[in-house]
């Protein structure tokens, strides 16, 4: 199933991934292709503002990761299936594309590039690696805690646990978010995908240096951090840029971890310059 779009108007479409799972996306604009990979507890709606801005110069594929939005899911999850989803989207637009990912979505995008999914250029916003002892990262036993809450049907508590334990959000801020019923309902609807992002991160949040061999890719890479984000994101970005063969790290003043959704107008020109450059 496919359809085209012009002038930034979205066209709904879908591809079928290698395991038969339907992956839904919006296609916007015309030009060289760019695939957007969302973070944890996010779907294509969170990157829609960025997609519309980039569609002024590129063909943008803004998709729902499996288990979210209009996309399907499988009984058993593996990171390899999500990499295959990205590969299927890239194949749909011609076999090669630039890819942007944020937070854990940045790590998924990087894994797709390493796996040879057809990624030409790679832009990563604040991949949440923890690369030094005492750095930020979820507490011991965090994955098991999320699994237990979900198995008990406590989706709301799982979201809260993720936000406070993995994202470091103060409890009172989570409490304020819970007072916005529509927003909170959207988050809890995706709670079952939290283990997916935990699996994407793997063992990269243990306060250890990155293994250069594990992240080898030929894709030209731009690693971005926001000037207002915690130091751990900057340290992780610096280390990642150091282990990749063709990468640079750039700090964007005034932005923070949520700026992909809240400040796309600040981010889009940087990505357009990188994706459109020689």
């Amino acid at each position: 199933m496919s359809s085209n779009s012009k002038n930034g108007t979205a066209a709904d479409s879908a591809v079928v991934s290698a395991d038969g799972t339907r992956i839904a996306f919006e296609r916007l604009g015309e030009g060289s292709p760019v695939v957007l990979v969302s973070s944890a507890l996010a779907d294509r709606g969170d990157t829609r503002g960025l997609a519309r801005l980039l569609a002024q110069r590129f063909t943008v594929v803004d998709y729902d990761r499996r288990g979210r939005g209009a996309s399907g899911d499988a009984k058993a999850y593996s990171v390899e299936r999500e990499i295959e989803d990205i590969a299927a989207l890239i194949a749909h637009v011609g076999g090669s594309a630039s890819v942007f990912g944020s937070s854990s979505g940045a790590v998924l995008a990087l894994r797709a590039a390493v796996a040879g999914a057809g990624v030409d250029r790679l832009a990563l916003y604040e991949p949440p690696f923890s690369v030094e002892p005492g750095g930020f990262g979820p507490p011991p036993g965090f994955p098991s805690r999320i699994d237990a809450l979900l198995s008990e049907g406590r989706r709301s508590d799982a979201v809260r646990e993720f936000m406070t334990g993995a994202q470091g959000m103060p409890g009172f801020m989570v409490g304020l978010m819970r007072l916005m019923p529509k927003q909170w309902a959207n988050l809890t609807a995706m709670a079952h995908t939290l283990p997916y992002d935990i699996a994407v991160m793997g063992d990269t949040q243990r306060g250890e240096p990155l293994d250069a061999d594990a992240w080898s890719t030929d894709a030209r890479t731009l690693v971005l951090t926001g000037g207002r984000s915690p130091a751990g994101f900057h340290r992780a970005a610096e280390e990642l840029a150091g282990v990749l063969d063709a990468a640079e790290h750039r700090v964007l003043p005034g932005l923070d971890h949520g700026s992909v959704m809240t400040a796309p107008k600040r981010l889009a020109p940087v990505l357009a310059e990188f994706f459109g450059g020689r």
Side-chain angles (χ1 to χ4, degrees):
M1 175 181 178
S2 65
S3 55
N4 296 322
S5 63
K6 298 181 179 180
N7 302 320
T9 301
D12 289 328
S13 193
V15 295
V16 177
S17 194
D19 70 341
T21 299
R22 181 182 184 273
I23 303 299
F25 66 92
E26 293 174 341
R27 178 171 175 160
L28 306 89
E30 288 189 335
S32 57
V34 175
V35 177
L36 305 183
V37 185
S38 62
S39 62
L41 292 177
D43 57 19
R44 57 178 150 158
D46 291 73
T47 45
R48 186 168 290 133
L50 181 61
R52 289 173 175 168
L53 292 168
L54 291 175
Q56 297 171 21
R57 290 186 56 183
F58 306 97
T59 294
V60 181
V61 174
D62 188 20
Y63 80 103
D64 288 328
R65 288 172 57 186
R66 61 173 54 212
R68 313 176 193 203
S71 287
D73 206 352
K75 291 183 179 180
Y77 175 82
S78 75
V79 177
E80 288 73 22
R81 300 295 81 76
E82 283 223 76
I83 292 172
E84 290 170 354
D85 299 344
I86 294 174
L89 292 164
I90 292 176
H92 178 76
V93 294
S96 63
S98 297
V99 178
F100 168 77
S102 63
S103 194
S104 55
V107 180
L108 177 58
L110 176 57
R111 291 190 184 278
V114 171
V119 180
D120 285 337
R121 296 198 178 202
L122 184 63
L124 309 174
Y125 189 79
E126 300 198 343
F129 297 127
S130 178
V131 297
E132 55 190 2
F136 70 99
F142 176 76
S144 297
R145 174 65 175 162
I146 294 294
D147 288 342
L149 291 171
L150 291 174
S151 68
E152 296 168 7
R154 297 166 59 186
R155 300 173 69 91
S156 185
D157 289 338
V159 172
R160 184 185 189 283
E161 184 76 13
F162 178 80
M163 289 182 166
T164 57
Q167 296 184 324
M169 187 178 294
F172 77 90
M173 290 185 63
V174 179
L176 291 175
M177 293 179 67
R178 297 180 77 159
L179 297 178
M180 297 180 279
K182 183 176 180 180
Q183 181 180 1
W184 192 254
N186 289 338
L187 294 172
T188 57
M190 291 183 280
H192 64 284
T193 65
L194 287 172
Y196 301 3
D197 287 275
I198 292 171
V200 165
M201 295 309 303
D203 61 358
T204 65
Q205 295 184 307
R206 297 179 178 178
E208 300 173 354
L210 296 174
D211 180 355
D213 292 336
W215 303 106
S216 178
T217 173
D218 294 331
R220 184 176 173 185
T221 304
L222 177 64
V223 188
L224 299 168
T225 49
R228 294 174 56 194
S229 293
F233 287 116
H234 297 276
R235 179 69 189 92
E238 291 165 358
E239 172 137 343
L240 179 60
V243 302
L244 296 178
D245 292 332
E248 64 173 306
H249 171 220
R250 191 182 307 177
V251 178
L252 303 181
L255 299 189
D256 58 23
H257 197 60
S259 291
V260 172
M261 184 173 64
T262 62
K265 290 182 179 179
R266 301 279 301 279
L267 186 59
V270 178
L271 296 178
E273 177 186 10
F274 175 66
F275 291 146
R278 294 184 178 180

